[in-house]
Amino acid sequence: MLLDGKVAVVTGAGSGVGRASALRFAAEGARVVCADISLDGAEETVREIEKLERPDGPGGPSGAAARAVAVRCDVSVEADVAGALEHAAERFGTLDIVFNNAGVPTPRLGAKLEDHSVEDFDRLVAVNLRGVFLGSKHAVLRFKRQGGGGVILNTGSVAGIVAWGGSVYGATKGGVHQLTRAVAIEGAPFGIRANAICPAGMPYTGFMTAGGMGSDEETTAALARQTGANHPLGRPITAEDCAEAAVFLVSDRAANITGVLLPVDGGYLAR
């Protein structure tokens, strides 16, 4: 129960890393606001959380409040982000953790810089970078009002560390990394920690298929073999791999860790 008594907001919680992380946070005792632009996806994550076993039985003791709620949130819209965080504090009494995870991939995997339209650029920046800016900004404001610190976790990417993946996508993730480090320094005097996880290839989360790759089993299996071959450990990265890193970084076991960009990459960056 690493997060017992904590309240967390997870963006992009309707699928992939967000869903896996929301489930892990809840399994470790947190109450979770599952925020996603797809309310249906967020509500499905809440239903999965409510099925989890706890030491006192499914769903906690008789009469206990729900462990998770779903909200629709477009992370590029400030009112949506601020509203999701406010909803967490109002529903559960406080806010301890904000995981800015929502993101979108390069519209067409393999597209070069000159292949990107201005519309492509604007969407990538709006979701991947502005979304993290807004989540971090309103987390800091909330944590300072509450006192006692708080934790911000962002989803970056190995594509923001090396030239791997789409150029504009990588640039947005590089921005996420720099924002993470800046918030870590600015927030330190207030007990606010900020870190980022940096995944490598994740063929099973739907992120690659959203970038134009096929979604059938054969294509997914081929993507898994290809991405796994790029990682020294020989396996593709899963949403659950990222969730395990996330739950550690937001827990009190990482109380003296801030400003870290943690690769979840099977050794890719160590080459």
Side-chain angles (χ1 to χ4, degrees):
M1 302 296 285
L2 288 178
L3 305 181
D4 192 28
K6 304 288 188 182
V7 175
V9 172
V10 179
T11 67
S15 61
V17 172
R19 174 173 289 176
S21 298
L23 285 163
R24 284 293 291 120
F25 289 7
E28 292 291 347
R31 288 166 291 174
V32 186
V33 170
C34 299
D36 200 285
I37 197 168
S38 167
L39 185 58
D40 288 345
E43 289 175 338
E44 176 58 31
T45 300
V46 169
R47 286 191 287 271
E48 292 298 314
I49 288 172
E50 293 304 327
K51 294 176 185 176
L52 293 173
E53 293 283 346
R54 296 190 71 176
D56 43 19
S62 177
R67 286 184 289 157
V69 294
V71 297
R72 186 189 180 279
C73 178
D74 180 343
V75 297
S76 70
V77 177
E78 185 166 18
D80 281 15
V81 176
L85 273 59
E86 188 66 22
H87 186 76
E90 289 179 354
R91 177 66 181 267
F92 297 122
T94 190
L95 178 63
D96 304 288
I97 299 160
V98 174
F99 184 10
N100 297 306
N101 164 73
V104 292
T106 296
R108 297 164 298 282
L109 290 179
K112 298 182 183 303
L113 175 67
E114 62 268 26
D115 297 328
H116 286 73
S117 67
V118 171
E119 290 76 20
D120 294 337
F121 177 90
D122 287 345
R123 180 169 185 263
L124 285 162
V125 171
V127 177
N128 294 354
L129 186 53
R130 186 195 302 163
V132 172
F133 159 71
L134 292 173
S136 299
K137 170 187 172 179
H138 286 281
V140 168
L141 290 170
R142 164 59 59 178
F143 294 153
K144 285 184 176 181
R145 285 199 301 270
Q146 291 179 169
V151 182
I152 296 168
L153 182 65
N154 301 321
T155 294
S157 172
V158 298
I161 299 174
V162 297
W164 177 82
S167 52
V168 178
Y169 173 82
T172 66
K173 292 301 185 177
V176 167
H177 299 164
Q178 187 59 22
L179 188 66
T180 300
R181 289 182 288 222
V183 173
I185 298 304
E186 293 179 8
F190 304 94
I192 298 169
R193 298 191 296 110
N195 295 294
I197 58 171
C198 303
M202 295 189 293
Y204 297 119
T205 63
F207 206 65
M208 288 184 169
T209 56
M213 303 296 287
S215 59
D216 59 279
E217 289 186 13
E218 184 177 347
T219 300
T220 300
L223 279 171
R225 289 191 297 271
Q226 179 181 343
T227 54
N230 288 332
H231 305 155
L233 285 178
R235 300 191 301 273
I237 308 305
T238 67
E240 290 72 25
D241 292 330
C242 295
E244 293 296 337
V247 78
F248 167 70
L249 285 173
V250 302
S251 77
D252 290 341
R253 289 189 179 179
N256 209 24
I257 299 176
T258 195
V260 164
L261 310 177
L262 177 64
V264 183
D265 67 349
Y268 179 84
L269 292 178
R271 280 181 163 165

